[in-house]
């Protein structure tokens, strides 16, 4: 199996075995170049080139790229500095009241629920978390927590620790039957799992840049369904939130009429430009192609780990799984194993006393075989 990307796109892939996209993905080469050039220009020329016009239109490319990726419209997209920041602004915008609740899972990445917990401290709304059973969250258990008082269901499309994938259509039907919002954190799915906002029928979808979309730290996007663009007042506001950002007047604020009303301040703008490049690249490579490629890699990983005698604590059903594979090896200190692998130039993460592998488009089956061989070697010697 060959890589589906070229050496120039990911110059360091092949120099080591990097199975850690769920932590930080390798960055697309052109994104790195654009970010460096933007910062160099800023350092040498201040705002001579990056002038007020450039600053005003700086997110246009990102709006277009992110919209194409998820089958939305550019006006439905807001740029932000991180997924967490956008989730915080959104949670305050929705501000569920004392008699309302927000539903999620107990295994969700903290940033997907902490912003709602912070709002709950202030308003008294209830937070309901579906429980994990046998390393799995049953979607029916999430749906059972939704009632007429649910303001939002805020979930991660793919669980960060074991890669469980949720069926968004199924959740959207249950959520909308109760007039609630489906808020999806796609940080662990965008770039690896096909997303079609129109088919999935989600209300809000947020993703950071630096994992499966192969972009930088410092950039993220949020999709906001059209009726919410009018209805919501962002939790975080600033000079950029006003409809004409350079008409600076502290006495009033008239919000931008699109999702961009959630853009409120300056940020590491070069990162947003680099992020647009990486999204374009992922889109052109084809998310379905990436998904199929990554599936072959994870099939081989699972096979190799089972041969070693490991227990796979990620879902194994096609409908629930992704290329994130978590494995537990009885009586092995996973942290030491991870360090041993690192010495052999194989990079993975640990989650609890398990290893989490997360191969992506720049990996090949040779990478997987090398990782499995290094694990076997380490187990023989320790
Ligand atoms: C599901 C999920 N959401 C959000 C984050 C953090 O995103 P950010 O750093 O953009 O705030 C992570 C990081 O691991 C994650 O796994």
């Amino acid at each position: 199996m060959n890589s589906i990307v070229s050496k120039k796109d990911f110059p360091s892939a092949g120099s080591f075995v990097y199975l850690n996209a769920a932590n930080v993905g390798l960055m697309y080469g052109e994104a790195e170049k654009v970010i460096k050039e933007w910062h160099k220009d800023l350092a040498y020329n201040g705002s001579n080139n990056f002038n007020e016009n450039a600053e005003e239109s700086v997110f246009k490319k990102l709006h277009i790229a992110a919209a194409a990726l998820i089958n939305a419209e550019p006006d439905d997209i807001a740029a932000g500095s991180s997924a967490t920041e956008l989730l915080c602004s959104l949670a305050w915008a929705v501000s569920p009241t004392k008699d309302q609740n927000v539903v999620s899972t107990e295994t969700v990445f903290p940033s997907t629920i902490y912003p709602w917990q912070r709002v709950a401290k202030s308003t008294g709304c209830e937070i309901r978390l579906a429980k994990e059973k046998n390393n799995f969250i049953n979607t029916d258990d999430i749906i059972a927590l939704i009632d007429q008082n649910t303001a939002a269901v805020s979930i991660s499309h793919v669980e960060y620790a074991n890669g469980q994938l949720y069926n968004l259509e199924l959740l959207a039907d249950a959520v909308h039957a109760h007039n609630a919002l489906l808020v999806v954190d796609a940080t662990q799915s965008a770039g690896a799992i096909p997303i079609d906002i129109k088919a999935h029928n989600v209300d809000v979808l947020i993703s950071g840049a630096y994992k499966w979309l192969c972009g930088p730290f410092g950039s993220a996007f949020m999709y906001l369904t059209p009726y919410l663009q009018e209805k919501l007042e962002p939790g975080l506001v600033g000079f950029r939130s006003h409809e004409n950002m350079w008409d600076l007047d502290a006495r009033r604020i008239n919000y931008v009429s699109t999702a961009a009303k959630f853009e409120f301040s300056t940020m590491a703008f070069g990162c947003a430009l680099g992020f647009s490049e990486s999204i374009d690249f992922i889109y052109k490579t084809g998310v379905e192609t990436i998904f199929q490629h990554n599936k072959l890699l994870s099939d081989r990983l699972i096979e190799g780990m089972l041969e070693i005698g490991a227990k796979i604590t990620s879902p194994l059903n096609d409908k629930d799984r992704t290329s994130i594979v978590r494995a537990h090896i009885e009586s092995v200190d996973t942290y030491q194993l991870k360090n041993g692998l690192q010495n052999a130039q194989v990079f993975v993460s640990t989650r609890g006393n398990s290893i989490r592998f997360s191969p992506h488009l720049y990996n090949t089956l040779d990478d997987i075989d090398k990782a499995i061989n290094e694990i076997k070697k380490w187990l023989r010697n320790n």
Side-chain angles (χ1 to χ4, degrees), residues 34-61:
V34 165
I35 293 164
K36 272 190 185 152
E37 279 169 4
W38 186 86
H39 279 98
K40 186 170 179 192
D41 177 56
L42 188 74
Y44 285 67
N45 299 305
S47 62
N48 295 349
N49 299 322
F50 190 68
N51 56 25
E52 290 190 354
N53 284 342
E55 188 170 337
E56 196 167 354
S57 60
V58 68
F59 295 132
K60 280 222 158 77
K61 267 182 137 176

Side-chain angles (χ1 to χ4, degrees), residues 259-311:
K261 79 200 297 191
F262 277 79
E263 294 161 2
F264 61 98
S265 70
T266 60
M267 58 172 266
F269 293 116
C271 295
L273 294 169
F275 188 23
S276 323
E277 295 295 330
S278 69
I279 297 177
D280 267 350
F281 172 75
I282 294 278
Y283 177 70
K284 283 179 188 142
T285 305
V287 182
E288 182 61 35
T289 304
I290 296 169
F291 175 73
Q292 295 301 341
H293 173 87
N294 292 357
K295 186 165 182 298
L296 289 178
L297 299 174
S298 58
D299 282 347
R300 182 83 143 240
L301 245 176
I302 291 168
E303 205 180 291
M305 290 306 286
L306 287 174
E307 236 179 71
I308 287 170
K311 181 176 176 211

Side-chain angles (χ1 to χ4, degrees), residues 4-24:
I4 55 169
V5 294
S6 74
K7 183 86 186 152
K8 79 169 181 10
D9 297 329
F10 293 94
S12 66
S15 324
F16 47 81
V17 176
Y18 191 77
L19 304 175
N20 220 1
N23 182 26
V24 175

Side-chain angles (χ1 to χ4, degrees), residues 22 82-85 109 111-112 156 158 160 185 187-188 208 210-211 220:
S82 72
T84 306
E85 176 198 86
F109 188 76
S111 285
T112 317
S156 181
V158 169
Y160 76 102
D185 180 346
T187 301
Q188 291 289 3
Y210 61 85
K211 296 183 190 284

